Amino acid sequence: MKKGLLAVLFLIMIQPIMGQKLFTLDEAIKIGLQGNPLLNKQSNNLSISKSQLKSAYGDLLPNLGASATWGWQRVDDAGGTQVDFFGNVVPIPPSQNDSRSYSLGLGGNWRIFDGLANWSNVSQKEKNLESAELSLEKLKQDIVFRTSELYYLVLNSEEMMKVREENVKFNQKFLETVEERHRLGAVAMADVYSQQVQAGNAELLLIEAQNNFEISKINLLNYLGLDVLEEYTFTNPYEINDQINTDKYLNEFDEITVMVNQAFEKRSDYKSQKLMVDAAEDGVTIANSGYLPSLTGNYSLSTGAISPKDLFDRKIYSAGLTLSLPIFSNWNTELAVQSAIVGVKNQEEDLSALERNIKIEIKQGYLDLVAAKKSLDVASKTVVSSGENRKINQERYNLGSGTILDVLQADRDYTDALRNKINAEYNFYKSKDALKNSLGNLDYKKFELN
């Protein structure tokens, strides 16, 4: 009977867990790379850049067009009279005359030379397309990092909730001990009141931790575009324990100057911005073409007749060249050149600003990682120390040689130490990913869906 009752209780307890979906960090990143609105928009914009490049190549080629016309005309004459050479009045009867015309034409023109503007336009559009593709790569890396960061927050808040749950159990059990000792007359009623308050605060903090856990889940699911009402179980990609080999992770990184040079070689946004500078310089060449002559060729073939069968009896061929010399353009060319030069300078300023930001990100990121490692090392030792201190104070209280205030303080210290260790662990992993993202080393391709 007891075994049957335990089985029923067990099924009731695991039912909510069985209804949850298992969710891993890799799955979250894959979903983030698949459904991010900003990523989708930027991917769609690539098609425009590709079409612009195709159009630029098309400007190097002659164009060709065809035309066909048909015309119909009817002349209605009501008739009348007319005086002939001898002065006689001659009546003119009413008449109706229909006429039709047909014509075909084929022709076009070819810009042979325009001051190299067409070739510079091709070069500019190629660089714009490559720059857009590199910017898309950097956005994917940022999505990988942001998804990981939000996922770490979920795991962090879940671990915090577990700490609070264990603390509630400890305080409830300790309350039973204090109440039993009071019943035996070993402690005053004040100890019971103090522990009741401590147990109540522990329950309140547990509720707060549960709320934080739910909020962190909502933030992650919302970022991924998933239903926030769905229930998920989040798996931990790392072994969170007392023996995290932080030195192994630090060995992945080099001296700051070396890392900065590596970032300049690998970061997609930096390479993208350099291409934008080059594209702006092509814009100067395009603007300067307004000072140069242009040469355009034209060609055509046409035919016309009053009957379709006679269309090709008479054909007209034509070809020509037009040389245009710019003499005065109302200073519009000068304005275009100056605007293009300013565009180059502005792109160079953006490149310099990006270089400074990369250096700041890497230096600050490395210092944050070193500080996170130190914080984690200290937090791990503090957990061991505070855990032993709580055990000692509890034993002293049970033996009557300590006060309840010592136990309560030791319990708070131990709980804070656990919380600090959890924060330090996930902060270390987040700092590591942040530095890898600053170096351009975050791999996104393995997460993309085929």
Side-chain angles (χ1 to χ4, degrees):
M1 181 66 180
K2 290 183 178 180
K3 291 183 179 180
L5 181 59
L6 289 174
V8 172
L9 291 174
F10 177 75
L11 289 174
I12 294 174
M13 291 173 62
I14 68 171
Q15 187 63 35
I17 299 176
M18 294 175 62
Q20 295 179 349
K21 299 179 181 178
L22 193 63
F23 205 41
T24 66
L25 176 59
D26 287 358
E27 290 173 346
I29 294 175
K30 289 177 182 178
I31 294 173
L33 290 173
Q34 183 183 20
N36 186 276
L38 184 59
L39 180 62
N40 291 338
K41 288 180 181 179
Q42 198 158 328
S43 299
N44 294 336
N45 289 336
L46 275 182
S47 60
I48 298 177
S49 298
K50 292 177 181 178
S51 297
Q52 289 174 340
L53 176 59
K54 187 177 181 179
S55 175
Y57 274 113
D59 289 339
L60 300 176
L61 304 174
N63 59 38
L64 183 65
S67 63
T69 59
W70 171 80
W72 171 79
Q73 184 180 29
R74 168 178 288 179
V75 179
D76 285 328
D77 192 340
T81 58
Q82 182 178 356
V83 179
D84 62 10
F85 181 76
F86 300 102
N88 299 320
V89 177
V90 180
I92 299 176
S95 64
Q96 186 181 75
N97 183 31
D98 286 348
S99 65
R100 291 173 175 80
S101 63
Y102 303 87
S103 67
L104 295 175
L106 184 68
N109 56 68
W110 183 20
R111 185 176 298 177
I112 301 173
F113 179 77
D114 62 351
L116 299 179
N118 49 4
W119 289 102
S120 296
N121 186 42
V122 170
S123 176
Q124 186 183 61
K125 296 303 184 289
E126 286 177 339
K127 292 166 184 173
N128 287 340
L129 175 59
E130 187 177 356
S131 175
E133 290 173 341
L134 290 169
S135 296
L136 186 64
E137 288 184 9
K138 184 59 175 71
L139 178 58
K140 291 179 179 179
Q141 290 178 327
D142 291 339
I143 290 174
V144 172
F145 172 68
R146 180 56 180 163
T147 303
S148 300
E149 184 181 29
L150 291 172
Y151 196 92
Y152 292 154
L153 287 174
V154 173
L155 297 178
N156 192 343
S157 58
E158 185 176 21
E159 291 295 325
M160 291 292 189
M161 184 178 66
K162 292 178 181 178
V163 169
R164 293 300 184 188
E165 289 174 348
E166 291 298 323
N167 187 245
V168 168
K169 294 178 182 178
F170 170 82
N171 279 281
Q172 288 175 344
K173 186 176 179 180
F174 187 57
L175 176 59
E176 294 174 359
T177 301
V178 174
E179 289 175 339
E180 179 63 21
R181 295 199 65 200
H182 170 68
R183 188 180 65 81
L184 298 174
V187 297
M189 189 63 189
D191 287 5
V192 177
Y193 292 150
S194 297
Q195 182 54 28
Q196 287 176 344
V197 172
Q198 182 80 348
N201 288 333
E203 293 175 355
L204 182 61
L205 292 173
L206 172 59
I207 294 173
E208 181 181 328
Q210 291 171 337
N211 290 339
N212 291 334
F213 178 50
E214 293 298 325
I215 292 173
S216 63
K217 287 196 298 183
I218 289 173
N219 291 334
L220 173 63
L221 297 177
N222 180 58
Y223 181 74
L224 299 178
L226 300 177
D227 186 359
V228 297
L229 298 181
E230 289 283 348
E231 292 296 331
Y232 295 91
T233 299
F234 298 88
T235 62
N236 199 325
Y238 298 107
E239 283 294 331
I240 302 298
N241 51 46
D242 296 332
Q243 303 297 328
I244 297 177
N245 191 354
T246 55
D247 292 327
K248 180 189 72 173
Y249 292 108
L250 281 177
N251 290 335
E252 298 179 12
F253 306 102
D254 211 323
E255 193 264 337
I256 291 180
T257 304
V258 176
M259 289 193 293
V260 169
N261 293 331
Q262 291 175 350
F264 288 158
E265 294 177 0
K266 297 194 67 174
R267 279 191 53 156
S268 301
D269 55 340
Y270 182 74
K271 292 188 287 187
S272 173
Q273 185 57 41
K274 289 182 69 175
L275 285 171
M276 292 302 295
V277 174
D278 295 339
E281 291 174 349
D282 288 332
V284 175
T285 303
I286 295 172
N288 278 317
S289 66
Y291 291 123
L292 302 176
S294 63
L295 181 63
T296 305
N298 58 79
Y299 42 88
S300 67
L301 165 65
S302 62
T303 180
I306 60 175
S307 174
K309 64 184 180 64
D310 300 328
L311 265 177
F312 293 98
D313 291 347
R314 181 172 181 269
K315 296 181 285 292
I316 301 174
Y317 302 91
S318 68
L321 293 174
T322 302
L323 179 65
S324 300
L325 300 174
I327 299 175
F328 178 66
S329 61
N330 305 94
W331 297 289
N332 290 326
T333 302
E334 181 181 353
L335 172 62
V337 171
Q338 188 61 35
S339 299
I341 292 174
V342 171
V344 174
K345 292 180 179 179
N346 289 340
Q347 293 294 344
E348 290 174 341
E349 287 295 327
D350 291 341
L351 181 62
S352 298
L354 181 58
E355 288 178 353
R356 293 193 297 271
N357 288 335
I358 289 175
K359 293 177 181 178
I360 292 172
E361 285 181 15
I362 292 175
K363 185 173 183 179
Q364 182 175 340
Y366 184 75
L367 294 176
D368 288 344
L369 183 61
V370 172
K373 174 188 180 302
K374 184 64 177 177
S375 176
L376 179 55
D377 293 341
V378 173
S380 299
K381 295 176 182 177
T382 304
V383 168
V384 177
S385 175
S386 59
E388 289 297 321
N389 186 53
R390 186 179 72 163
K391 185 185 300 182
I392 292 172
N393 279 280
Q394 188 177 4
E395 291 176 354
R396 289 178 58 194
Y397 179 78
N398 292 337
L399 295 174
S401 60
T403 66
I404 192 172
L405 294 179
D406 295 332
V407 178
L408 298 183
Q409 185 60 50
D411 177 57
R412 284 193 290 267
D413 292 342
Y414 177 67
T415 303
D416 290 341
L418 286 175
R419 295 174 61 249
N420 291 336
K421 181 175 179 291
I422 293 170
N423 285 329
E425 286 170 345
Y426 288 107
N427 185 53
F428 178 81
Y429 290 122
K430 186 185 75 172
S431 300
K432 176 181 67 71
D433 287 349
L435 183 54
K436 290 181 67 175
N437 191 35
S438 298
L439 293 171
N441 289 337
L442 273 187
D443 186 13
Y444 67 88
K445 294 182 180 179
K446 65 180 182 180
F447 299 109
E448 289 186 315
L449 299 176
N450 295 326

